[in-house]
Amino acid sequence: MSQTKLSIVDLTKRYAAGLEPAVDRLNMQVEEGHLVALLGPSGCGKTTTLRMVAGLMDPTAGSITVDGKEITHTPVNKRGMGMVFQSYALFPHMNVEQNVAFGLQMRQTPKAEQKKRVAAALDMVQLGHLGKRQTRELSGGQQQRIALARALVVEPTLLLLDEPLSNLDAKLRETMRTEIRSIQQRTRATTLFVTHDQDEALDMADRIAVMNGGLIEQFGSPTEVYERPRTHFVANFIGQANFLQATVVSEVGPAGAGESHYKVDIEGLGGFGAVGSAGLSGSHELVIRPHRLKVTVANAADRDAIKGTIERVSYTGDALSVAVKVGGKTFNTQLLTSSGDLPRPGDTAYLSWSPEDAYILPVNGKGPAS
Ligand SMILES: Nc1ncnc2c1ncn2[C@@H]1O[C@H](COP(=O)(O)OP(=O)(O)OP(=O)(O)O)[C@@H](O)[C@H]1O
Ligand SMILES: [Mg+2]
């Protein structure tokens, strides 16, 4: 049985009267042992949320409960949480071991145990050999790992990570991503992980909370938020998307999991099949992911294929992005490269897709929090 570790109810933060709330009635339930990514654009309230959970900032309204116990106003040092800040400040006047031991010292853990746990935490981030180093003698990536060890050493009830990989180059980011995830799974520490990098969130998280303007637009597994976005914002923020305006013509039949097959009329293009949650009607946006679009240059066998003109081709090594113009609308498609001829701008192309890959967004405009 899964258990709720952290429950956030109607959490609100208004920095000053008259300002829009930075966090606006945010609700979230986090299961024990899960890593939840808070994902959203700059300024959407990620750090503010984390600081309220950590106890570094008082909420204006709402409640925070951990293990069934309300801690909304519990002081920070009584919460037993581990945190890595957005700027992962280590204490510059202490060496690596002293940095990692800091939380244990605060808790007055016996010296011998401190030593053992610091060594174990440093091993966990694979920096056991650097215990005596001064922090200024470390690379950025090593500092980030020390910050992580410092947060893990207290065996936190909750691990709060605010963009812990923000200062690393692309390659090290990926290595650290894997490392954090495996440490997190080994220790089963329930973790809130703030990022504005969608790949990081998709790769690492058990659940993703997609935030926009101080609230959660969607909370779900990586596949849910990617395959079944609730709103335009979510579809657009997580990966690339083509949006088409459509009107539901008829609900054809069940498609499983509370969804239906539909006939829709796509603006300017005519009748097509699509899927979406059951019971939809009226005007909605359709989402089709670029790599789900099929592009053929030769005359298409598929009668439903629509004819367009290749507008732009960009080659990125393993993939090919091809923009195809149909009427006034540009479709972004993505193909795996093969050794054959590349399509050229100006060529005629045919576009098609499976009805299952045209997803009807259930909520028009900015959706309510789910
Ligand atoms: N101390 C403060 N006083 C007033 N407004 C603040 C304060 N701190 C943050 N804000 C505002 O609150 C909103 C949310 O800020 P927050 O730092 O939570 O965003 P974020 O999602 O962490 O962004 P980023 O990805 O840039 O770190 C922003 O509009 C920000 O300008
Ligand atoms: Mg932030």
Side-chain angles (χ1 to χ4, degrees):
M1 262 296 278
S2 56
Q3 232 176 345
T4 303
K5 178 78 184 178
L6 167 69
S7 167
I8 295 176
V9 178
D10 289 340
L11 193 65
T12 300
K13 179 69 188 181
R14 206 181 274 278
Y15 279 104
L19 282 184
E20 285 289 300
V23 173
D24 192 5
R25 282 162 294 160
L26 182 137
N27 287 279
M28 182 164 66
Q29 308 283 320
V30 178
E31 258 179 48
E32 172 113 54
H34 267 188
L35 185 150
V36 171
L38 299 183
L39 176 69
S42 184
C44 71
K46 305 181 297 293
T47 296
T48 305
T49 302
L50 214 62
R51 292 178 71 83
M52 288 191 283
V53 174
L56 296 166
M57 186 185 279
D58 238 3
T60 310
S63 72
I64 303 166
T65 303
V66 174
D67 293 325
K69 190 166 151 266
E70 204 199 312
I71 56 147
T72 315
H73 301 288
T74 305
V76 54
N77 58 343
K78 296 267 157 52
R79 293 195 187 194
M81 296 181 188
M83 180 149 181
V84 175
F85 296 94
Q86 194 159 5
S87 52
Y88 50 92
L90 296 176
F91 305 119
H93 55 288
M94 296 180 186
N95 72 16
V96 166
E97 278 178 356
Q98 291 162 338
N99 260 281
V100 177
F102 182 76
L104 298 174
Q105 252 167 18
M106 289 292 104
R107 289 168 170 75
Q108 296 173 348
T109 309
K111 276 273 182 297
E113 196 189 332
Q114 279 189 32
K115 205 161 169 228
K116 218 171 67 195
R117 282 169 66 177
V118 167
L122 283 175
D123 281 345
M124 194 121 63
V125 296
Q126 294 169 20
L127 290 177
H129 56 296
L130 293 185
K132 302 293 182 222
R133 278 275 181 93
Q134 292 303 311
T135 51
R136 60 173 182 279
E137 298 163 351
L138 301 170
S139 75
Q142 289 166 338
Q143 291 182 43
Q144 209 131 40
R145 280 190 272 172
I146 300 299
L148 187 62
R150 192 174 61 181
L152 282 167
V153 77
V154 298
E155 292 168 6
T157 52
L158 265 179
L159 186 57
L160 308 174
L161 307 175
D162 195 352
E163 307 219 28
L165 309 180
S166 55
N167 298 316
L168 306 183
D169 67 61
K171 199 77 203 165
L172 190 55
R173 260 183 106 100
E174 232 168 89
T175 315
M176 282 297 295
R177 216 195 250 183
T178 319
E179 214 160 293
I180 289 181
R181 181 60 163 155
S182 77
I183 291 171
Q184 187 267 334
Q185 285 179 330
R186 220 163 348 146
T187 56
R188 292 192 43 76
T190 309
T191 303
L192 290 186
F193 184 100
V194 169
T195 179
H196 56 240
D197 181 330
Q198 36 134 341
D199 289 334
E200 217 162 85
L202 289 169
D203 180 35
M204 294 178 71
D206 295 296
R207 294 286 181 276
I208 298 177
V210 184
M211 290 184 65
N212 182 23
L215 52 78
I216 296 177
E217 287 228 355
Q218 188 166 2
F219 187 81
S221 68
T223 32
E224 274 163 7
V225 294
Y226 184 79
E227 302 286 349
R228 294 296 181 251
R230 284 167 45 76
T231 62
H232 182 104
F233 177 86
V234 172
N236 199 34
F237 199 78
I238 311 251
Q240 308 269 309
N242 292 290
F243 294 100
L244 299 164
Q245 207 56 52
T247 308
V248 172
V249 177
S250 62
E251 194 166 345
V252 181
E259 297 191 334
S260 294
H261 294 288
Y262 286 92
K263 268 209 168 73
V264 296
D265 185 62
I266 300 179
E267 200 173 79
L269 296 176
F272 290 86
V275 292
S277 45
L280 297 175
S281 62
S283 167
H284 283 268
E285 265 189 312
L286 280 187
V287 180
I288 309 175
R289 299 292 184 186
H291 64 276
R292 302 274 164 78
L293 283 170
K294 199 168 127 217
V295 190
T296 49
V297 219
N299 204 339
D302 188 344
R303 279 185 303 120
D304 286 337
I306 51 180
K307 189 174 168 183
T309 309
I310 293 179
E311 197 173 40
R312 206 170 51 245
V313 177
S314 70
Y315 176 78
T316 57
D318 43 6
L320 199 60
S321 297
V322 182
V324 180
K325 193 154 187 160
V326 181
K329 167 106 195 139
T330 298
F331 288 82
N332 294 308
T333 73
Q334 197 158 51
L335 312 175
L336 293 176
T337 48
S338 63
S339 49
D341 290 342
L342 297 182
R344 287 181 313 263
D347 286 353
T348 296
Y350 295 86
L351 276 181
S352 59
W353 59 86
S354 316
E356 302 78 61
D357 291 331
Y359 181 65
I360 308 172
L361 290 181
V363 180
N364 286 319
K366 187 171 165 175
S370 64

